[in-house]
Amino acid sequence: MGALHDGHLSLARQARKNNDVVVASVFVNPTQFGEKEDLEKYPRQLERDTSLLDDIGVDHVFAPDNDIMYGKNHVTYVEAMGFDNIPEGTSRKGHFRGVATIVTKLLNIVQPTTAYFGQKDAAQCVLIRRIVEDLNIPVNIEVLDTIRETDGLAMSSRNLRLTEEERRAVPVIYKSLRAANDQFSKVMLLSSDTTDPVISSTELISMVYEILRSEPLIAEVHYVSVDDKETMQPITKVNHNGAILSLACQVGSVRLIDNIVLSV
């Protein structure tokens, strides 16, 4: 999408380390933005982005315009069933159709052997793996850990729109996720003598809500969800296999998302 930060660049570095030729795509995809979302406000810094990628050693930057990716007669979209019904999907109608379509198009155009994505967009990563498997696309998908600021905030281009006061407050997001993960780990370890210890999703979700609501600058919590790692479908209990705990919240005019993979 562009406006690259170190989270994006970590993907390029890993690709550079593992491959002979590296291609990076930079495209602000209009079909994954809703009617009330901030497409026009999304930062576009292609010259800067290209320079950063060049410094890492990226061989080619594919930066098409809308006319190339969505011609005047474009009518074909890719839609993975069920994703509009997960929490992020109900919050952003049509978002996952837009993501599925553009990723499929980019994979078809570039035809990489391996494509790299960040765990910060957990649902997108699950979606992309589903598309690749279902449509028999010959590419290996690598998902890398979320890159965070020193205070835990997940790196995002949207962070630039936070005021100084909001920026000081938002580390509470990751704090809430870590607290829930700590509780999950505690239950799993203390119940190690049990055949299959479980913790309720409700307990984890309530803990996250409580911590988020302790910060007045969190204007709204859009959702907190515990989901299966392979399907992103909600689950009611979590066992030693873990799950994805994700959330979205509003801070001022900025919508932020984050997640953690529950693990011991």
Side-chain angles (χ1 to χ4, degrees):
M1 291 274 283
L4 302 182
H5 51 67
D6 204 48
H8 299 119
L9 298 178
S10 69
L11 306 179
R13 293 188 187 99
Q14 189 66 33
R16 178 71 286 163
K17 179 180 178 181
N18 294 349
N19 300 274
D20 296 326
V21 178
V22 178
V23 179
S25 64
V26 179
F27 178 65
V28 181
N29 178 35
T31 65
Q32 68 188 69
F33 287 81
E35 290 183 4
K36 297 181 180 180
E37 292 185 311
D38 47 5
L39 173 61
E40 298 306 319
K41 295 180 181 178
Y42 197 90
R44 293 160 172 80
Q45 307 167 351
L46 183 58
E47 185 175 345
R48 171 185 172 275
D49 292 345
T50 302
S51 177
L52 290 171
L53 293 168
D54 184 61
D55 289 344
I56 291 173
V58 170
D59 298 291
H60 306 283
V61 176
F62 180 54
D65 59 25
N66 284 345
D67 290 338
I68 291 175
M69 300 309 292
Y70 298 103
K72 65 177 182 178
N73 296 319
H74 184 278
V75 295
T76 305
Y77 294 88
V78 178
E79 186 165 3
M81 302 303 291
F83 278 83
D84 271 351
N85 299 324
I86 68 174
E88 184 69 7
T90 57
S91 295
R92 306 179 71 187
K93 286 295 185 184
H95 170 71
F96 287 111
R97 185 180 81 154
V99 171
T101 301
I102 195 61
V103 170
T104 302
K105 289 168 74 70
L106 290 171
L107 292 177
N108 283 338
I109 292 167
V110 179
Q111 298 187 13
T113 54
T114 304
Y116 296 82
F117 297 89
Q119 177 62 34
K120 176 178 172 290
D121 294 301
Q124 287 190 21
C125 293
V126 172
L127 170 71
I128 290 163
R129 282 180 164 150
R130 183 79 271 130
I131 293 167
V132 166
E133 182 175 340
D134 290 353
L135 300 183
N136 305 106
I137 301 175
V139 61
N140 178 49
I141 301 298
E142 292 284 344
V143 176
L144 304 186
D145 291 342
T146 300
I147 302 299
R148 300 183 179 277
E149 304 287 357
T150 56
D151 58 8
L153 177 66
M155 289 190 178
S156 170
S157 303
R158 296 172 187 263
N159 295 347
L160 298 174
R161 294 169 47 203
L162 296 167
T163 66
E164 290 185 11
E165 184 182 16
E166 290 166 350
R167 178 61 187 83
R168 288 192 296 269
V170 289
V172 72
I173 295 172
Y174 189 49
K175 177 183 176 182
S176 71
L177 294 172
R178 288 198 58 180
N181 189 64
D182 288 347
Q183 180 64 14
F184 167 78
S185 299
K186 179 181 177 181
V187 170
M188 294 300 110
L189 292 172
L190 290 177
S191 306
S192 58
D193 58 338
T194 304
T195 303
D196 192 13
V198 296
I199 184 171
S200 75
S201 297
T202 301
E203 179 179 347
L204 298 172
I205 290 170
S206 295
M207 180 176 292
V208 172
Y209 267 111
E210 182 178 358
I211 294 173
L212 290 177
R213 287 169 174 162
S214 71
E215 173 50 63
L217 290 181
I218 302 291
E220 181 181 0
V221 180
H222 294 290
Y223 67 80
V224 180
S225 186
V226 178
D227 304 304
D228 184 275
K229 292 187 291 185
E230 302 298 324
T231 67
M232 286 304 291
Q233 295 302 308
I235 55 178
T236 58
K237 296 180 180 180
V238 189
N239 61 17
H240 67 278
N241 291 322
I244 295 175
L245 173 61
S246 61
L247 65 85
C249 62
Q250 194 76 23
V251 182
S253 63
V254 183
R255 184 180 188 271
L256 296 176
I257 63 171
D258 203 352
N259 70 84
I260 195 168
V261 179
L262 296 172
S263 60
V264 178

